[in-house]
Amino acid sequence: MTFDPMDQGIDAEEAHDRVADTIADHEVVLFMKGDARMPQCGYSKRAFGLISQYRSDVATVDTLKNLEAFREALEAESGWETIPQTFVDGEFVGGSDILAELEERGDLAETLNADGPVANGDAESAEGPDAPF
């Protein structure tokens, strides 16, 4: 996928719809900068790494191309303005710092509805490997 700086991406309404639909369609969702194969910020990489220890089926959404639209949509959903953001069973959990705190306390697996660590941390994108957003 190539980045076209002239592409305006999606509007705020479409971002709100995508956020709501993705949260409704997946048990564990990580809205991040970049994707599972190539996170584009340290916080997103940390969040994905923490989640993928316990869930191989985490859905990821790359917010980077439409960052402002997704930031607004996610803030409306969670009350939290920073990215990454994690949702489990439709409920906002937090960003990478909250996930790290839960891991430190030994509560992350339970929060993610996981039985324990997974053998392989391969996650999937919410829209496939070449998601347009």
Side-chain angles (χ1 to χ4, degrees):
M1 177 169 41
T2 59
F3 177 71
D4 179 359
M6 301 307 286
D7 184 2
Q8 295 300 309
I10 61 175
D11 63 19
E13 184 176 334
E14 188 173 350
H16 282 275
D17 291 344
R18 287 187 184 179
V19 166
D21 290 347
T22 304
I23 291 170
D25 292 344
H26 299 279
E27 185 178 357
V28 180
V29 181
L30 175 63
F31 293 91
M32 62 187 290
K33 294 177 182 175
D35 60 33
R37 292 174 292 177
M38 190 175 291
Q40 295 297 306
C41 83
Y43 296 110
S44 291
K45 182 177 181 176
R46 182 181 187 199
F48 179 76
L50 288 163
I51 295 168
S52 64
Q53 291 179 92
Y54 299 102
R55 297 294 299 251
S56 61
D57 61 342
V58 58
T60 61
V61 176
D62 182 358
T63 63
L64 202 51
K65 185 175 177 185
N66 300 289
L67 189 58
E68 291 310 312
F70 275 110
R71 190 182 309 275
E72 180 183 315
L74 287 165
E75 184 175 5
E77 189 71 38
S78 68
W80 196 271
E81 64 182 31
T82 59
I83 296 170
Q85 291 192 23
T86 306
F87 291 81
V88 178
D89 287 332
E91 298 294 321
F92 175 63
V93 173
S96 63
D97 291 345
I98 300 298
L99 295 174
E101 184 179 310
L102 289 166
E103 174 69 357
E104 206 172 281
R105 290 193 327 233
D107 296 334
L108 186 56
E110 182 180 346
T111 299
L112 295 172
N113 298 328
D115 294 329
V118 294
N120 183 354
D122 292 335
E124 58 191 47
S125 169
E127 296 297 323
D130 294 319
F133 52 90

